[in-house]
Amino acid sequence: MALKSPKILYTEKKMMGGLLFMVNNSMCVNAGKDKDTGEDRLIVRVRKENYDRLLLEKGARKMDFTGKPMNGFLFIYPKGTETDKQLIFWM
């Protein structure tokens, strides 16, 4: 028996140098490139109470555009999305 996943309504916007996916009018994930290195990366929104723990995950880095990290957001570089399981985790 196959499991049914709920249908999630989302919107897409071009933003922050990539494609941003919003759920309930809030940022969920952004797929884009690092302007300095050209590396693919995700920007993910995480609960503040999970931030420090998720920062320890493979490929995760603090989101920092201005010299000050943004709490609740992480950059996820390719090492953190090498497998389908890893990518699904961040999505």
Side-chain angles (χ1 to χ4, degrees), residues 8-14 19-29:
I8 298 173
L9 299 176
Y10 65 92
T11 55
E12 299 175 17
K13 292 185 178 187
K14 288 187 178 182
L19 188 58
L20 173 71
F21 295 90
M22 298 179 71
V23 176
N24 296 327
N25 294 319
S26 293
M27 180 187 156
C28 180
V29 66

Side-chain angles (χ1 to χ4, degrees), residues 27-88:
M27 180 187 156
C28 180
V29 66
N30 176 287
K33 291 196 177 286
D34 184 309
K35 289 181 184 177
D36 295 328
T37 67
E39 272 187 287
D40 292 332
R41 70 170 179 212
L42 298 177
I43 299 172
V44 297
R45 184 176 187 164
V46 300
R47 291 179 182 246
K48 290 180 182 180
E49 61 267 21
N50 297 328
Y51 180 84
D52 290 332
R53 178 179 58 82
L54 292 172
L55 189 54
L56 300 174
E57 291 289 330
K58 190 175 181 182
R61 296 185 199 161
K62 293 178 180 181
M63 181 175 155
D64 181 355
F65 281 126
T66 63
K68 182 179 178 187
M70 292 183 65
N71 212 7
F73 295 89
L74 296 172
F75 288 138
I76 310 302
Y77 284 85
K79 287 189 177 202
T81 58
E82 291 175 326
T83 67
D84 288 346
K85 185 176 179 179
Q86 289 173 307
L87 181 59
I88 290 167

